[in-house]
Amino acid sequence: MATTIQKWGSLSKTFGRKNVVSIRRLLHDGPDTLEELLDRHVVKREKSLDDDEEELLARQRLLTTRREALSLYRDIIRATRFFMWPDSRGVLWRDILRENARKEFEEARFEKDPETVNRLLIGGRDAVQSALEKLAEKQRQQIEKERGGGGDGR
């Protein structure tokens, strides 16, 4: 490698200063200016998609959000199994939570805006996670209370 560079270096000296740039260009075959470098490596050109490709991408996004929504709904149903106590009317919280989840999913069923759908999915995931964390904390407190620890944090 070093001999090749020396060879090109000596050739550039023999051809004069004018041809040094073209010989160096042959060496690394890269861009001459910063703009060329940016155009080649940073600036990405938009591909024009025909209608079929756009429809395919839209379907893939729809299927992805549909899959995520179904996954969230299943997680909600699984999480409601832990809410087995009745409310003031005698109805199990499990049934109330499932009914409310079903109603909210039905209301958002025909939402087309991807940003809104993603916001709803993220909000739903956060709500399920928060409810389960609160339930776990209450159960820990109840266990400590039954053990007689009184909540000293152990």
Side-chain angles (χ1 to χ4, degrees):
M1 178 77 178
T3 57
T4 307
I5 293 173
Q6 289 173 348
K7 179 180 168 185
W8 282 105
S10 63
L11 282 175
S12 68
K13 291 176 188 172
T14 58
F15 288 123
R17 189 76 178 142
K18 186 176 180 183
N19 294 330
V20 171
V21 173
S22 63
I23 292 174
R24 284 189 183 156
R25 178 144 176 125
L26 289 175
L27 274 177
H28 65 80
D29 199 28
D32 287 333
T33 65
L34 182 61
E35 289 80 20
E36 288 179 12
L37 178 71
L38 291 175
D39 284 341
R40 184 178 291 179
H41 298 288
V42 177
V43 178
K44 303 294 181 192
R45 293 182 177 85
E46 290 289 324
K47 291 192 299 183
S48 62
L49 301 175
D50 61 357
D51 292 336
D52 293 336
E53 289 176 339
E54 286 180 11
E55 184 178 337
L56 179 64
L57 288 174
R59 281 187 183 177
Q60 287 175 341
R61 283 191 296 267
L62 179 65
L63 290 176
T64 301
T65 55
R66 179 180 172 86
R67 190 177 310 126
E68 289 175 14
L70 289 172
S71 174
L72 174 60
Y73 187 76
R74 283 188 219 107
D75 288 345
I76 291 171
I77 297 301
R78 285 185 200 111
T80 58
R81 286 187 260 174
F82 299 113
F83 294 84
M84 294 300 296
W85 57 91
D87 69 348
S88 60
R89 298 173 293 155
V91 181
L92 291 178
W93 274 106
R94 175 193 66 193
D95 298 334
I96 295 169
L97 293 171
R98 288 179 179 180
E99 182 181 322
N100 287 337
R102 178 69 181 191
K103 185 172 29 169
E104 286 194 37
F105 272 82
E106 285 295 329
E107 288 173 359
R109 183 177 196 167
F110 298 107
E111 182 62 52
K112 298 291 183 198
D113 182 28
E115 187 175 320
T116 304
V117 171
N118 286 332
R119 187 172 34 85
L120 290 169
L121 289 171
I122 291 169
R125 287 265 176 226
D126 289 344
V128 170
Q129 187 66 31
S130 174
L132 289 175
E133 287 173 359
K134 288 179 184 176
L135 179 67
E137 182 60 33
K138 289 291 184 183
Q139 287 181 343
R140 275 189 230 111
Q141 289 174 359
Q142 185 67 27
I143 290 171
E144 286 295 321
K145 187 177 178 181
E146 289 175 1
R147 288 184 182 167
D152 58 353
R154 283 188 267 165

